[in-house]
Structures are given as structure tokens and as C-alpha cells.
Amino acid sequence: FSWVHCKNFQPQIQYFSGLIFIDGNHREVPTINYFNTVLPFCHNDTVLLFDDIHWSEEMQEAWEYIKNHEKVT
């Protein structure tokens, strides 16, 4: 297990495995962008963990988008 923490995590994404923890922004659009960035690297056993999904109405909207995405089960 290793932690990858950087402002732009795109170059580090190849190192992600089965657990991806997304934290640090409490707005809808950036959260959805983080989700869409990691989505191509996810597989059937990947767990995405989002912090503060009920922090604000924007975060709840992002959570609804993520929950309803066709690739999320």
C-alpha cells in the first residue's frame, strides 16, 4: 500500500490499485472531475472512497451523479 498525494494526480494514476480515496474539495464539479479522471483506471474490484459526501448540497449532487453513473454498482 502506498499513498499518492499531489495536486495533479494524473501522472500518478498508474500506481492506483483497488482502493482510491478522494478528499480535499467540497464542490460538485471538481469532485465529479476527480471521479471521471480515475474512472478509466478502475476495474470490477475497485473501491472508490469519497470523503464528506454530505458536507454541502454541491457534494450531495456530486454523490448523486456518481451513484447513478452507469459504471458504478
Side-chain angles (χ1 to χ4, degrees):
F1 181 81
S2 65
W3 287 95
V4 175
H5 177 79
C6 53
K7 189 172 185 176
N8 180 357
F9 58 88
Q10 186 73 32
Q12 301 296 326
I13 206 161
Q14 65 187 6
Y15 300 110
F16 290 156
S17 60
L19 174 65
I20 300 172
F21 178 68
I22 297 178
D23 185 26
N25 197 310
H26 297 109
R27 295 179 297 150
E28 179 180 5
V29 172
T31 302
I32 290 172
N33 288 341
Y34 297 152
F35 169 73
N36 288 325
T37 298
V38 301
L39 192 60
F41 301 93
C42 295
H43 50 78
N44 197 44
D45 296 324
T46 302
V47 174
L48 296 176
L49 180 62
F50 289 86
D51 191 34
D52 296 331
I53 59 168
H54 297 294
W55 180 269
S56 66
E57 184 149 343
E58 278 192 67
M59 283 300 292
Q60 290 182 45
E61 291 295 324
W63 182 237
E64 288 301 315
Y65 172 87
I66 293 163
K67 288 190 321 185
N68 293 316
H69 192 279
E70 65 181 14
K71 294 193 176 190
V72 173
T73 59

